[in-house]
Amino acid sequence: MSPIDTPAAVGRPAAKRGRPRRADADDAILAATLELLSEVGVAGLSMDLLAQRAGVGKATIYRRWDSKEALILDTLRMMSTPIPVPDEGTVRDDLFAYMDAVIQHFRPGRGSDTLPHLIEASCYDDQLRASLDHYLRDRQSTTRLILHRGIERGELPVDTDVDLITDVILAPFFYRHLLTGATVDREFTHRLVEFALR
Amino acid sequence: MSPIDTPAAVGRPAAKRGRPRRADADDAILAATLELLSEVGVAGLSMDLLAQRAGVGKATIYRRWDSKEALILDTLRMMSTPIPVPDEGTVRDDLFAYMDAVIQHFRPGRGSDTLPHLIEASCYDDQLRASLDHYLRDRQSTTRLILHRGIERGELPVDTDVDLITDVILAPFFYRHLLTGATVDREFTHRLVEFALR
Amino acid sequence: MSPIDTPAAVGRPAAKRGRPRRADADDAILAATLELLSEVGVAGLSMDLLAQRAGVGKATIYRRWDSKEALILDTLRMMSTPIPVPDEGTVRDDLFAYMDAVIQHFRPGRGSDTLPHLIEASCYDDQLRASLDHYLRDRQSTTRLILHRGIERGELPVDTDVDLITDVILAPFFYRHLLTGATVDREFTHRLVEFALR
Amino acid sequence: MSPIDTPAAVGRPAAKRGRPRRADADDAILAATLELLSEVGVAGLSMDLLAQRAGVGKATIYRRWDSKEALILDTLRMMSTPIPVPDEGTVRDDLFAYMDAVIQHFRPGRGSDTLPHLIEASCYDDQLRASLDHYLRDRQSTTRLILHRGIERGELPVDTDVDLITDVILAPFFYRHLLTGATVDREFTHRLVEFALR
DNA sequence: GATTAACCGAGACGGTACGTCACGTCTTTAA
DNA sequence: TTAAAGACGTGACGTACCGTCTCGGTTAATC
């Protein structure tokens, strides 16, 4: 979910009236959100605190985002450092490298309650549900890219079920991380990749 | 997490003094919780409302459970109808049948915010985290049973990695359900089972 | 308080530069204020609503009046229908007639919170305090006129304390109206007039 | 308006259940209100600040009073030092002395916006209107007592209209104080008393 | 005719206070 | 001692206004 009222339509002159939105407020708010997420987590991030930190009125936040959660999701989208696409030469090694990075990325810490929070919030907000879905499917793109590259190279059969393998590789990671709390280490992800490419 | 202070040790007369705990309060509370979960979801389940519904003081609830979430988890454990263990003759058909039932069980509805809520809450409460892990690993037992039965029957090789296959079958279900919002239907679970048993 | 910057001095060309004030904006604002006062009272009259109703920007209002209350007071001054000066032949009958009209004028209704609001606001704004004083003393002029006419006619002694009698007749009306909530009817005002002229 | 739910009915054992209201909270709240009224006036008295000052949750205040204004009125009733009943020997001197004290009491200062605030608020709240009426009529009792004492002593005729004279003496004070802003000094109140007793 | 300065409607801005709600604890009387 | 009832302190919520500011765009008097 992007900030509300983004004049997405190209070519429309937007016929702006009234004082325009402060251009730098979005950034200030997103930056403050990112700061607070890592300092106090989602649980400690109140809208009052956020507004104060961003040097902004609460109304300015609500004018731009529908909810705290829409804002947080946008913060993840815009501010979080992306996991780079590895290029080790083979699908197997690319997936090994990528999953190593994923493990690093989901280290437990102050911000590790963010994704669970968004998941719960999306139960009550269809628009957020759609945005979160879109965001998380986007994060599959690296895995998909690696697999497609493998098919092009002839390393994988042309009829490889990319969707399924993507799920099979990524899902157990989140399943263990969020649900069963089982160990997620390199040994596990490597075993998983071997199984998926078997 | 079981109710606090359960006189687990048999034989100890407990040397009770004062008014004894109401024997039926636990059940009344669990039943009211289950009712409210399906009526208003976790989001609408406040402790005040719950106490009123159960005809119980709030302190009585907190005397028996550490938190709202511990209670909810116990409610799931005690009150929710278990998914029966199928016995179709082959591992493949057992897993097909089981996953069909799982799909039914996680139909969207009033109570479908329960698991996400517990997942988030477990970020802030180590004891809950442990209890939830235990509960969810418990729910893997049917899948494991089916696989072990297959090994005994000689249907699966003796060195089958039961842990991994369990994750590979169950994880994508929750991953799609909670994270990407992708379709989860019989076609998908069947494809998944085929892949896992390939 | 009149609109700010009124070029009161006649003959001074004021050497205006720039676009002149919209001539009809004052009226539009005053009219909208009067409308809203009777529709939603002072309490419901927000500056945003008022600007919208008058088809005017908020800044245009603040350019012309110092505050919401200065505007409201001006609205009363300019727009409210004045109570006519009676001429019944005697001081007694004139006062009877006038007080009857006053009773009518202060009927309870949507706009009856206006005066109390101005009274409170004038606690925080010396200029408003002065303007309100001036306005309310102005409204004594009819009573004063009636009394002075009586003195000229020889109906009242020449040393009549007009100030005091004015207060004695008008004050109990407002005192009961605003403070004690006691009944204010013709019987009361007549008794009052009789006492004052005794 | 007294604190909500006061078990006014005598003889009813009240059949109290649950934790009783903190006995000292009322006092703490009233005292904090009085403090803040004199420090920052009604305008600066926010419920958050008040709760903090009283060492009490906001909900505790709202549990006991319907509104900020009901609380303020109660504060006046309970905490404000009453004007003593003078006993100078004659009605005239008693009234002189009393009005002198009234003038002192309504000195301008931090708390002088309190009465105007309550008057406005009572436009929007019938219960407050009734309470304020009752409070202000109560404050007439000293004047009435002085007049009745005069009748008993034979100093005033038995058919003296006590209601009217009370209004005639007190009303101009508030009228000038709140409305016209005219001078209210000893000279004026003495002239007023002389006129009323004429 | 070009420039300039004050105006215009619209609406975003930083603040502040509101009254409600839920949390988990505490305090009463009764059993 | 536990029970039901319900008050407690805390703190976040999302809304509504305030009075100011900032746009793009008029509209005159001045140059």
Side-chain angles (χ1 to χ4, degrees):
Chain A
M1 182 179 304
S2 296
I4 302 171
D5 267 347
T6 301
V10 178
R12 178 160 55 72
K16 289 199 196 184
R17 295 204 301 177
R19 176 174 176 173
R21 297 254 172 96
R22 247 185 65 190
D24 53 342
D26 277 55
D27 286 341
I29 295 167
L30 289 168
T33 305
L34 193 64
E35 265 180 54
L36 289 176
L37 280 182
S38 65
E39 286 177 24
V40 295
V42 155
L45 193 169
S46 77
M47 295 304 268
D48 290 86
L49 179 57
L50 174 60
Q52 189 181 6
R53 183 69 75 95
V56 140
K58 261 200 294 181
T60 298
I61 303 177
Y62 283 107
R63 210 176 283 120
R64 289 157 194 250
W65 286 274
D66 281 332
S67 65
K68 176 170 152 177
E69 284 73 28
L71 165 59
I72 290 170
L73 182 50
D74 256 20
T75 301
L76 292 189
R77 253 213 291 263
M78 314 262 207
M79 314 292 285
S80 69
T81 56
I83 297 176
V85 180
D87 193 1
E88 306 288 329
T90 68
V91 169
R92 177 170 277 95
D93 287 340
D94 282 351
L95 290 175
F96 284 167
Y98 180 67
M99 291 309 290
D100 286 355
V102 169
I103 289 175
Q104 288 301 320
H105 198 265
F106 283 88
R107 255 303 78 106
R110 263 301 88 70
S112 61
D113 55 349
T114 306
L115 183 56
H117 180 82
L118 294 178
I119 290 171
E120 187 189 355
S122 71
C123 294
Y124 313 117
D125 178 343
D126 286 343
Q127 200 162 355
L128 179 66
R129 171 79 272 177
S131 299
L132 181 60
D133 289 353
H134 185 267
Y135 169 69
L136 290 170
R137 289 187 210 184
D138 227 49
R139 309 214 84 194
Q140 296 180 336
S141 60
T142 302
T143 311
R144 297 193 126 85
L145 176 61
I146 292 169
L147 293 173
H148 281 295
R149 223 163 40 186
I151 293 171
E152 280 172 22
R153 280 195 207 114
E155 202 179 341
L156 296 178
V158 287
D159 66 344
T160 301
D161 189 341
V162 172
D163 279 2
L164 191 68
I165 294 184
T166 301
D167 279 358
V168 164
I169 290 173
L170 294 177
F173 174 83
F174 289 102
Y175 178 61
R176 291 191 159 202
H177 202 74
L178 299 177
L179 279 77
T180 66
T183 313
V184 184
D185 54 12
R186 298 186 68 190
E187 191 279 328
F188 173 69
T189 55
H190 283 217
R191 199 143 47 93
L192 202 54
V193 169
E194 293 291 359
F195 183 84
L197 300 184
R198 158 191 50 137
Chain B
M1 180 181 303
S2 298
I4 303 169
D5 268 347
T6 301
V10 179
R12 177 159 54 74
K16 292 196 192 184
R17 299 214 309 169
R19 176 172 172 170
R21 285 211 181 148
R22 252 184 62 188
D24 55 342
D26 278 55
D27 286 342
I29 295 167
L30 290 167
T33 305
L34 193 64
E35 263 179 55
L36 289 175
L37 280 182
S38 65
E39 285 177 25
V40 294
V42 154
L45 193 167
S46 75
M47 294 305 269
D48 290 84
L49 179 58
L50 174 60
Q52 189 181 6
R53 183 68 75 96
V56 139
K58 267 202 290 181
T60 299
I61 303 177
Y62 281 106
R63 208 173 286 119
R64 290 155 195 251
W65 284 275
D66 280 333
S67 66
K68 176 171 155 176
E69 283 73 29
L71 165 60
I72 289 169
L73 183 49
D74 254 22
T75 300
L76 291 189
R77 251 211 292 262
M78 314 263 207
M79 315 290 287
S80 70
T81 56
I83 296 176
V85 180
D87 193 1
E88 305 287 327
T90 68
V91 168
R92 177 171 276 97
D93 287 340
D94 282 350
L95 290 174
F96 284 168
Y98 180 68
M99 292 308 290
D100 287 355
V102 168
I103 290 175
Q104 288 302 320
H105 197 264
F106 283 88
R107 279 263 114 85
R110 264 301 87 70
S112 60
D113 54 348
T114 307
L115 182 56
H117 180 82
L118 293 177
I119 290 171
E120 187 190 355
S122 70
C123 294
Y124 312 117
D125 179 344
D126 287 343
Q127 200 163 353
L128 178 66
R129 172 78 271 177
S131 299
L132 182 61
D133 289 353
H134 186 267
Y135 169 69
L136 290 169
R137 289 188 209 182
D138 228 47
R139 309 213 83 193
Q140 296 180 335
S141 60
T142 301
T143 310
R144 296 193 126 86
L145 176 60
I146 291 169
L147 293 173
H148 281 297
R149 222 162 42 184
I151 294 171
E152 281 171 20
R153 280 196 207 114
E155 202 178 339
L156 297 177
V158 287
D159 66 344
T160 302
D161 190 339
V162 173
D163 279 2
L164 191 68
I165 294 184
T166 300
D167 279 359
V168 164
I169 291 173
L170 294 177
F173 175 84
F174 289 101
Y175 178 62
R176 292 191 156 201
H177 201 75
L178 300 177
L179 278 77
T180 66
T183 314
V184 183
D185 53 12
R186 296 187 68 190
E187 192 277 328
F188 174 69
T189 54
H190 284 218
R191 198 143 48 93
L192 201 55
V193 168
E194 293 291 357
F195 183 85
L197 298 184
R198 167 183 47 140
Chain C
M1 182 180 303
S2 296
I4 302 170
D5 269 348
T6 300
V10 179
R12 177 162 54 73
K16 288 197 196 181
R17 296 220 315 168
R19 175 175 176 173
R21 295 240 176 111
R22 247 185 65 188
D24 54 342
D26 278 55
D27 285 342
I29 294 167
L30 289 168
T33 305
L34 193 63
E35 264 179 55
L36 288 175
L37 280 182
S38 66
E39 285 177 26
V40 295
V42 155
L45 193 167
S46 75
M47 294 306 269
D48 290 83
L49 178 58
L50 174 59
Q52 188 181 7
R53 183 68 75 96
V56 140
K58 266 201 291 181
T60 299
I61 303 177
Y62 282 106
R63 208 175 285 120
R64 290 156 195 250
W65 285 275
D66 281 332
S67 65
K68 175 171 154 177
E69 284 72 30
L71 165 59
I72 289 169
L73 182 51
D74 255 21
T75 301
L76 291 189
R77 253 211 292 261
M78 313 263 207
M79 313 291 286
S80 70
T81 56
I83 297 176
V85 180
D87 193 359
E88 304 288 328
T90 68
V91 169
R92 176 171 276 96
D93 287 339
D94 282 350
L95 290 175
F96 284 168
Y98 179 67
M99 291 308 290
D100 287 355
V102 169
I103 289 175
Q104 288 300 320
H105 198 264
F106 283 88
R107 271 275 101 98
R110 264 301 87 72
S112 60
D113 54 348
T114 306
L115 183 55
H117 179 82
L118 293 176
I119 290 171
E120 187 189 355
S122 70
C123 294
Y124 313 116
D125 179 343
D126 286 342
Q127 199 162 354
L128 178 66
R129 171 78 273 177
S131 300
L132 181 61
D133 289 353
H134 186 266
Y135 169 69
L136 290 169
R137 289 186 209 183
D138 228 47
R139 309 213 84 194
Q140 296 181 335
S141 61
T142 302
T143 311
R144 296 194 126 84
L145 176 61
I146 292 169
L147 294 172
H148 281 297
R149 224 163 39 186
I151 294 171
E152 281 171 22
R153 281 195 206 116
E155 201 179 339
L156 296 178
V158 287
D159 65 343
T160 301
D161 189 340
V162 172
D163 279 3
L164 191 67
I165 294 185
T166 300
D167 279 358
V168 164
I169 291 173
L170 294 177
F173 175 84
F174 289 102
Y175 178 62
R176 291 190 159 203
H177 202 73
L178 299 177
L179 279 78
T180 66
T183 313
V184 184
D185 53 12
R186 299 186 67 191
E187 192 278 328
F188 174 69
T189 54
H190 283 218
R191 200 143 46 94
L192 201 55
V193 169
E194 293 291 359
F195 184 85
L197 300 183
R198 167 187 43 142
Chain D
M1 181 180 303
S2 297
I4 302 171
D5 267 348
T6 302
V10 178
R12 179 159 55 72
K16 288 198 194 184
R17 296 207 302 179
R19 176 174 175 174
R21 297 252 172 94
R22 245 184 67 191
D24 53 342
D26 277 56
D27 287 341
I29 296 167
L30 290 167
T33 305
L34 193 64
E35 265 179 54
L36 289 176
L37 280 182
S38 66
E39 286 177 23
V40 294
V42 155
L45 194 168
S46 77
M47 295 306 267
D48 289 86
L49 179 58
L50 174 59
Q52 189 180 6
R53 184 69 74 95
V56 140
K58 261 200 292 183
T60 298
I61 303 177
Y62 282 107
R63 209 175 284 121
R64 289 157 194 251
W65 286 276
D66 281 331
S67 65
K68 178 170 151 176
E69 285 73 29
L71 165 60
I72 290 169
L73 182 50
D74 256 20
T75 301
L76 292 189
R77 251 212 292 262
M78 314 261 207
M79 314 291 284
S80 69
T81 56
I83 297 176
V85 180
D87 193 1
E88 306 287 329
T90 69
V91 169
R92 177 171 277 95
D93 288 339
D94 282 350
L95 289 175
F96 284 167
Y98 180 68
M99 292 308 290
D100 287 354
V102 169
I103 288 175
Q104 288 301 321
H105 197 264
F106 283 88
R107 280 262 114 87
R110 265 300 88 70
S112 61
D113 55 349
T114 306
L115 183 56
H117 180 82
L118 293 177
I119 290 171
E120 187 189 355
S122 70
C123 294
Y124 313 116
D125 179 343
D126 286 343
Q127 199 162 354
L128 180 66
R129 172 77 272 176
S131 299
L132 181 60
D133 289 353
H134 186 266
Y135 169 69
L136 291 169
R137 289 187 209 182
D138 227 49
R139 309 213 81 192
Q140 296 181 335
S141 61
T142 302
T143 311
R144 297 193 126 85
L145 175 62
I146 292 168
L147 294 173
H148 281 296
R149 223 162 41 185
I151 294 171
E152 281 171 23
R153 280 194 207 116
E155 200 178 342
L156 297 177
V158 287
D159 65 343
T160 303
D161 189 340
V162 172
D163 278 3
L164 191 68
I165 295 184
T166 300
D167 279 359
V168 164
I169 292 173
L170 294 177
F173 174 84
F174 290 101
Y175 178 63
R176 292 190 157 202
H177 201 76
L178 300 176
L179 278 78
T180 66
T183 313
V184 183
D185 54 11
R186 295 188 69 189
E187 191 278 330
F188 173 69
T189 56
H190 284 217
R191 199 145 46 94
L192 202 55
V193 168
E194 293 291 358
F195 183 85
L197 299 183
R198 170 186 43 141

